[in-house]
Amino acid sequence: MENADKSPFSFSMREEQIRQVFAQMEQRGERLVAIYHSHPAAPAYPSPYDIEHACYPETAYLVLSLAGQQPVLGCFRIHGKQVTPLRCILY
Ligand SMILES: [Zn+2]
């Protein structure tokens, strides 16, 4: 997905591109398991904006922070404005 905001501080997705991506996934027999984005200067935790706009409660939200010397990856479920940390297994 492209960041329709073209900003390092926020992101949004165009509805048309969301539809295209879901159609492509369906054709390939894929399903949405995670949504990833990065925080260039903020912690690896969903921001109030992320929480407010989260609309896939069955999906893991991966937030990569690049604020420190080492990248930090957080993994969460966001449902009804509640954030639940998930255990991430990286390969
Ligand atoms: Zn965020």
Side-chain angles (χ1 to χ4, degrees):
M1 299 294 301
E2 293 175 21
N3 183 358
D5 292 354
K6 307 267 188 237
S7 164
F9 304 107
S10 67
F11 75 93
S12 66
M13 300 170 283
R14 288 181 297 111
E15 275 189 47
E16 178 59 26
Q17 191 178 28
I18 292 171
R19 274 195 286 280
Q20 288 173 352
V21 168
F22 273 91
Q24 206 171 39
M25 286 169 44
E26 190 172 319
Q27 286 174 347
R28 296 175 178 172
E30 298 172 343
R31 66 184 182 92
L32 182 65
V33 296
I35 297 172
Y36 153 88
H37 72 281
S38 62
H39 285 174
Y45 192 84
S47 70
Y49 182 92
D50 296 336
I51 296 166
E52 183 67 30
H53 293 89
C55 52
Y56 297 96
E58 303 302 321
T59 299
Y61 284 83
L62 302 174
V63 182
L64 179 68
S65 173
L66 303 171
Q69 290 186 337
Q70 296 290 322
V72 177
L73 182 65
C75 186
F76 307 92
R77 191 168 308 280
I78 306 173
H79 183 54
K81 313 299 181 221
Q82 294 287 325
V83 178
T84 305
L86 298 176
R87 195 167 143 235
C88 286
I89 300 173
L90 301 176
Y91 296 95

